[in-house]
Amino acid sequence: MSETPGDPSSSVRIERVEFVDDELVDAFERLIPQLSSSSPAPSGEQLRELVSGPDTVLFIARVDGVILGSLTLAFYRIPTGLKAWIEDVVVDGEARGHGVGAELNLAALVEDGYVDRIVLSHDAAFYSHVTPPSWRAVHAPDWHMEHLSRSIL
């Protein structure tokens, strides 16, 4: 795609995918190579399995009607309950930096009320030993392990 339609920051629309059509298959053929050089784009049948599966929710981001991003929310059960994992987030290179990925992640976090059960790896990495406590105390004194999900969302 040689031109990104409109201004992505002002016209992002997130949709939960309910059915697979040629537009979706074509979008994945364009997006997946931007995510992984070693994984082929899924076929229409593979996308149908993903969309109809009980353990996955597929979201797409549209800008001026054009699919420019996707995210898969995968669910799994453990002894303490149902958990969710965000996978394969990809935004078309021409739309990056305009909040499309953030909108996709927000949609996934609020899906079926799971926002209170998700710790974002961003929060965990920021709060880990990688970020010294002295730096956090100065630059982000209110940050905690669940900062984004509790304080922002």
Side-chain angles (χ1 to χ4, degrees):
M1 184 158 55
S2 61
E3 181 179 328
T4 300
D7 175 10
S9 63
S10 63
S11 61
V12 177
R13 191 174 87 233
I14 305 301
E15 300 172 9
R16 180 179 177 156
V17 176
E18 301 293 338
F19 65 91
V20 175
D21 58 12
D22 290 342
E23 178 192 25
L24 188 69
V25 174
D26 291 345
F28 271 81
E29 287 176 358
R30 186 181 72 254
L31 291 170
I32 293 300
Q34 296 180 61
L35 177 66
S36 172
S37 61
S38 62
S39 296
S43 66
E45 182 58 36
Q46 290 169 322
L47 285 169
R48 278 186 278 286
E49 287 178 27
L50 181 68
V51 168
S52 66
D55 299 330
T56 53
V57 176
L58 180 62
F59 293 96
I60 56 170
R62 291 183 184 270
V63 176
D64 294 338
V66 178
I67 300 171
L68 293 181
S70 70
L71 175 149
T72 303
L73 184 61
F75 298 95
Y76 61 98
R77 185 158 300 283
I78 60 173
T80 57
L82 187 63
K83 300 293 181 179
W85 194 265
I86 294 173
E87 286 285 352
D88 288 355
V89 180
V90 61
V91 174
D92 189 277
E94 296 177 20
R96 291 182 191 148
H98 297 282
V100 176
E103 292 285 336
L104 282 163
N105 278 281
L106 180 60
L109 290 171
V110 299
E111 173 70 15
D112 292 331
Y114 286 100
V115 71
D116 64 334
R117 296 179 205 142
I118 297 176
V119 173
L120 301 175
S121 61
H122 176 273
D123 283 341
F126 182 84
Y127 205 79
S128 74
H129 67 281
V130 175
T131 308
S134 58
W135 186 92
R136 285 195 312 266
V138 171
H139 299 285
D142 297 326
W143 204 282
H144 49 83
M145 280 290 286
E146 297 171 335
H147 178 72
L148 291 178
S149 61
R150 287 195 178 176
S151 303
I152 306 298
L153 303 174

